[in-house]
Amino acid sequence: MNLINKKFRLAFAFIFLFEVFSLFAYLFSEFNVVVFLAIVLFVFVISLKNIEYGLWFSFVELIIGSKGYLFYVSIFSFSLSIRIGIWLAVMLAFFIKISLLFYKKYLPDIKKGKVEIKAFLKESVFDNQFLKYYFYLFAFVFFSLFIAVIKGNNIKNIFLDFNAWIFLSYIFPVYYVYFKNSTKINSLYSIILAAITWVTVKTFFLLYIFSHNILSVIPTIYLWVRKTGVGEITRMDGGFSRIFFQSHIYFLPLFFVFLGILLFIIFSQKEKASLEKITYYWFFVSAFLMAINLITFSRSNWVGLLFGLFIVFLYILIVYKFKKTLIFLLSFFLISVLSLFLITATVKFPFPSPNSNFNTANLLSERAKQISGEAGVSSRWALLKPLLNEIKESPIVGAGFGKTVTYVSSDPRVLENSPDGVYETFAFEWGWLDLWLKLGILGVLFYLYFLYKILSSIFLNKNISNNFDSIFNLSLALGLFLIIIVNFFSPYLNHPLGFGYLIFVTIVFENFLIKN
């Protein structure tokens, strides 16, 4: 499977232009509106031609855009993000295409009585492993929306809270394009890899310029990254700059995908003819992915990383025994060393003069041990009790979207506007508690059951064997499990970033199960 192909190169070139235009749009607001409208119109036109092309845009924007505001337009008091613009374009084109398909293919036969509505629904909706669960999940979501309205939650808060869930509707065009079509999924892999590669390049680029005395561009780049919602850049001790994108969450499961394939190649007896060349590629990519996970300084992601490493360790120890467990430990040690070298070499590159004076390993260690006192951590813990108290008010059916909680925050950004730290919000770091508050325990239990069905289809599959496809799908399933863990501390499974990964693994697993 050659992923570095023409599609990869074209996607990477497009992403570069997309980012350049975003920077210009930040500098010149009029340009922002023009490009926004041009992109939405272009995506709509190409989606009418082929829905797959529109989905490529959707996945790329999700990965490189984090919160989705690389471009946006202001409408009344709302900022309409390019993510919603692309969604509107793709879903409108999909609705038109599916309506024409239904009208031409099914409606005449239904009218003649040759096709029953029940049979049509079975073929289009229920004749698969997972799609039906999305319908049930949507039922909980819309019930939560109904609860929010009848309880009188603020309309603007309801919209801003609910709009993330509309991203889940991409599951329908994704099934339309990729169900029982592994060839097209291979093209999607290339597009996604191009986006991931770009985020890697951008992360190291930002780490470099903020670790050196390039004062002429730092203020502009910093404000661009912040205003577009791509991520955060924070000065740490010793001059190190933490680079954190919300979309860096994808580097957690992706690291285990590449690590899993690397170990499969090393352990496999069939690949020895080309072992050296292939191993180097997967090894170096794994090191870059590991480096990104470290650069984020996200303790939530690190918890997921540790969980994943422990699970891989136990799996290899049980399945492959002691000798190959040592090979895994040595491989991970070498990957870690190389990743630390990549970080250190970037921030201490001698030209121009670096402004950093720190020990990378010590800095990472101090960050990992800092579980209290720091503003972000303190605010998270301060939120916990008020959030639980609000959950108790309606634990079964939930309080609906837009439900707010008031607490005392230590976040410097909050203190700028509210010196006493009192802060009211409908968005919470505690992901599963956020879902409990909005959807109720019934919604949370169904969501967990849905996730269990997806994971068990791979982890408990008797047809899983020691081959490339099986290891690839096992690694993706491990990645989903780790996002479930991270969601305890950072909200992803109620956000387009988490939904994107969920949709992706759903269709990949669906096709894998059909073949096996």
Side-chain angles (χ1 to χ4, degrees):
M1 183 167 59
N2 180 24
L3 300 181
I4 312 298
N5 52 27
K6 184 178 179 180
K7 289 186 179 69
F8 173 93
R9 292 188 288 271
L10 287 174
F12 191 85
F14 161 79
I15 293 168
F16 175 76
L17 290 176
F18 196 82
E19 292 272 12
V20 170
F21 286 161
S22 175
L23 180 57
F24 273 97
Y26 163 71
L27 297 173
F28 308 102
S29 57
E30 299 83 1
F31 187 69
N32 190 1
V33 176
V34 171
V35 177
F36 180 98
L37 295 175
I39 291 173
V40 172
L41 179 61
F42 178 70
V43 172
F44 175 68
V45 171
I46 65 168
S47 297
L48 279 176
K49 181 179 180 181
N50 190 334
I51 289 294
E52 184 183 14
Y53 299 156
L55 291 174
W56 289 354
F57 269 82
S58 302
F59 277 101
V60 164
E61 187 284 320
L62 182 68
I63 294 168
I64 70 172
S66 286
K67 291 184 178 180
Y69 285 87
L70 281 172
F71 302 94
Y72 62 92
V73 293
S74 297
I75 301 177
F76 301 111
S77 60
F78 292 100
S79 291
L80 187 67
S81 68
I82 192 63
R83 179 164 299 158
I84 294 180
I86 291 174
W87 176 83
L88 287 169
V90 174
M91 295 307 292
L92 178 58
F94 174 67
F95 177 77
I96 293 171
K97 290 179 77 72
I98 209 72
S99 298
L100 291 173
L101 176 66
F102 177 79
Y103 178 78
K104 293 178 180 179
K105 184 176 181 181
Y106 291 105
L107 190 58
D109 289 336
I110 289 174
K111 286 181 176 179
K112 295 176 183 177
K114 295 181 180 179
V115 178
E116 295 181 0
I117 295 292
K118 185 177 180 180
F120 166 72
L121 290 174
K122 183 179 185 300
E123 179 185 347
S124 58
V125 176
F126 294 100
D127 190 19
N128 52 67
Q129 189 91 346
F130 302 119
L131 186 57
K132 55 183 175 287
Y133 293 108
Y134 281 90
F135 282 91
Y136 302 144
L137 183 57
F138 276 123
F140 281 102
V141 170
F142 283 106
F143 180 73
S144 178
L145 185 62
F146 171 73
I147 291 291
V149 173
I150 65 172
K151 287 198 172 189
N153 295 351
N154 181 276
I155 295 297
K156 182 177 180 180
N157 290 345
I158 292 174
F159 171 77
L160 294 174
D161 202 11
F162 169 76
N163 82 83
W165 289 86
I166 67 174
F167 195 90
L168 265 183
S169 61
Y170 271 126
I171 190 64
F172 304 118
V174 163
Y175 260 80
Y176 174 77
V177 172
Y178 296 110
F179 185 54
K180 297 181 181 179
N181 199 329
S182 298
T183 302
K184 287 189 175 182
I185 288 184
N186 288 338
S187 296
L188 181 61
Y189 292 157
S190 294
I191 302 300
I192 289 175
L193 186 60
I196 290 291
T197 303
W198 171 259
V199 175
T200 303
V201 171
K202 186 175 180 179
T203 302
F204 273 95
F205 171 73
L206 292 175
L207 181 65
Y208 171 76
I209 66 170
F210 281 89
S211 300
H212 291 73
N213 295 310
I214 312 177
L215 300 179
S216 58
V217 300
I218 283 178
T220 300
I221 297 296
Y222 174 81
L223 291 173
W224 171 55
V225 171
R226 289 290 297 172
K227 192 169 183 179
T228 55
V230 168
E232 303 170 6
I233 303 171
T234 309
R235 182 73 72 187
M236 309 290 289
D237 292 338
F240 185 87
S241 291
R242 175 202 182 200
I243 312 295
F244 172 73
F245 301 167
Q246 284 78 10
S247 60
H248 279 149
I249 186 63
Y250 294 134
F251 286 77
L252 177 61
L254 197 61
F255 169 73
F256 286 99
V257 169
F258 274 75
L259 178 64
I261 294 172
L262 171 66
L263 294 173
F264 166 71
I265 292 171
I266 293 174
F267 294 167
S268 175
Q269 299 299 312
K270 299 177 183 179
E271 303 284 348
K272 283 192 173 180
S274 57
L275 178 63
E276 185 175 343
K277 181 179 178 180
I278 296 174
T279 302
Y280 284 154
Y281 167 76
W282 292 96
F283 174 79
F284 279 106
V285 174
S286 297
F288 271 100
L289 296 172
M290 181 68 176
I292 297 293
N293 280 298
L294 297 178
I295 289 170
T296 66
F297 269 66
S298 169
R299 286 168 294 232
S300 299
N301 287 16
W302 290 356
V303 168
L305 185 66
L306 291 174
F307 260 92
L309 290 170
F310 181 68
I311 291 169
V312 172
F313 172 79
L314 286 181
Y315 176 80
I316 294 175
L317 185 62
I318 294 170
V319 175
Y320 293 102
K321 307 305 179 185
F322 185 71
K323 182 178 179 181
K324 290 186 176 177
T325 302
L326 289 178
I327 295 175
F328 157 66
L329 293 174
L330 177 61
S331 299
F332 177 69
F333 173 76
L334 293 175
I335 288 170
S336 300
V337 170
L338 180 57
S339 66
L340 290 174
F341 170 78
L342 291 170
I343 296 170
T344 305
T346 301
V347 298
K348 295 192 175 183
F349 189 76
F351 181 82
S353 177
N355 55 16
S356 55
N357 181 26
F358 64 90
N359 180 285
T360 307
N362 289 343
L363 191 60
L364 294 169
S365 176
E366 288 300 316
R367 175 70 174 179
K369 291 186 292 185
Q370 197 173 35
I371 58 174
S372 64
E374 189 257 340
V377 177
S378 297
S379 295
R380 194 168 303 187
W381 287 109
L383 169 63
L384 185 58
K385 186 176 180 181
L387 180 55
L388 289 171
N389 288 336
E390 291 292 344
I391 289 172
K392 291 177 184 177
E393 295 295 320
S394 184
I396 306 301
V397 299
F401 293 111
K403 173 62 178 176
T404 60
V405 173
T406 302
Y407 71 105
V408 178
S409 173
S410 303
D411 192 318
R413 291 167 294 185
V414 173
L415 295 175
E416 285 181 7
N417 300 316
S418 178
D420 58 2
V422 176
Y423 184 55
E424 183 180 19
T425 183
F426 59 84
F428 316 109
E429 294 294 326
W430 303 96
W432 285 112
L433 294 181
D434 182 296
L435 287 164
W436 189 356
L437 177 67
K438 312 295 176 53
L439 302 182
I441 192 63
L442 295 178
V444 170
L445 290 176
F446 174 76
Y447 201 175
L448 288 170
Y449 174 72
F450 175 29
L451 294 170
Y452 165 77
K453 294 294 289 185
I454 293 176
L455 291 175
S456 63
S457 71
I458 301 299
F459 287 144
L460 303 181
N461 192 320
K462 295 179 181 179
N463 293 320
I464 290 289
S465 57
N466 187 28
N467 59 50
F468 183 93
D469 282 346
S470 292
I471 298 300
F472 177 71
N473 282 273
L474 278 171
S475 300
L476 286 177
L478 174 60
L480 179 58
F481 176 74
L482 297 180
I483 291 177
I484 293 171
I485 297 298
V486 172
N487 194 61
F488 279 100
F489 313 104
S490 295
Y492 285 107
L493 289 175
N494 56 353
H495 188 279
L497 291 171
F499 295 150
Y501 190 79
L502 181 61
I503 291 170
F504 173 71
V505 298
T506 297
I507 196 62
V508 172
F509 293 170
E510 188 83 75
N511 283 279
F512 175 76
L513 295 171
I514 290 170
K515 291 191 299 183
N516 295 274

